[in-house]
Amino acid sequence: MTTPERRLIDHLSRWLGGWPATTELDVIAEPGRVRPGWDGKIHPVLGVGSPQGGILSVPPEHAEAIADQYAKSPDLATFGPMVPPLAGFPERGWFTALGSPASGASASGETRV
């Protein structure tokens, strides 16, 4: 039987292109970012963070430029607004939403463009 934790890891791995993070922010080239999602819409950039690190899932053709910019500007408040144009969607915005797990564990974040 698969545990809830294993199901979550599997889901995030498929949805983002990898999980868990291996650094503070892993920029992952994910072909799914240029295909419609479950809701029929394209979500060109998705991110999920945890206390251990985060994943920023981006279109493959933009991953290198986004990773390079993050290396230059690792502060998310500065880096975040740079991502939509770097991902090929300058008309979109950047936002970070925080959620607190019911267990009272540390908050994790989700980022979308």
Side-chain angles (χ1 to χ4, degrees):
M1 185 160 150
T2 305
T3 66
E5 181 178 359
R6 180 77 247 164
R7 287 195 304 265
L8 178 60
I9 290 168
D10 291 346
H11 168 70
L12 290 173
S13 292
R14 286 188 306 276
W15 189 45
L16 300 171
W19 189 266
T22 59
T23 66
E24 186 175 355
L25 184 67
D26 296 346
V27 176
I28 295 183
E30 171 52 41
R33 297 289 60 85
V34 295
R35 294 190 300 261
W38 63 270
D39 58 358
K41 297 178 183 175
I42 293 176
H43 301 279
V45 176
L46 291 174
V48 175
S50 75
Q52 292 74 36
I55 299 286
L56 189 63
S57 178
V58 302
E61 64 272 20
H62 301 292
E64 186 174 350
I66 292 170
D68 289 348
Q69 186 60 53
Y70 179 68
K72 295 174 192 168
S73 305
D75 175 58
L76 285 182
T78 303
F79 169 69
M82 297 176 187
V83 172
L86 288 169
F89 290 84
E91 73 283 359
R92 297 220 181 168
W94 170 272
F95 75 90
T96 301
L98 296 176
S100 296
S103 66
S106 298
S108 62
E110 177 181 10
T111 300
R112 288 186 181 212
V113 169

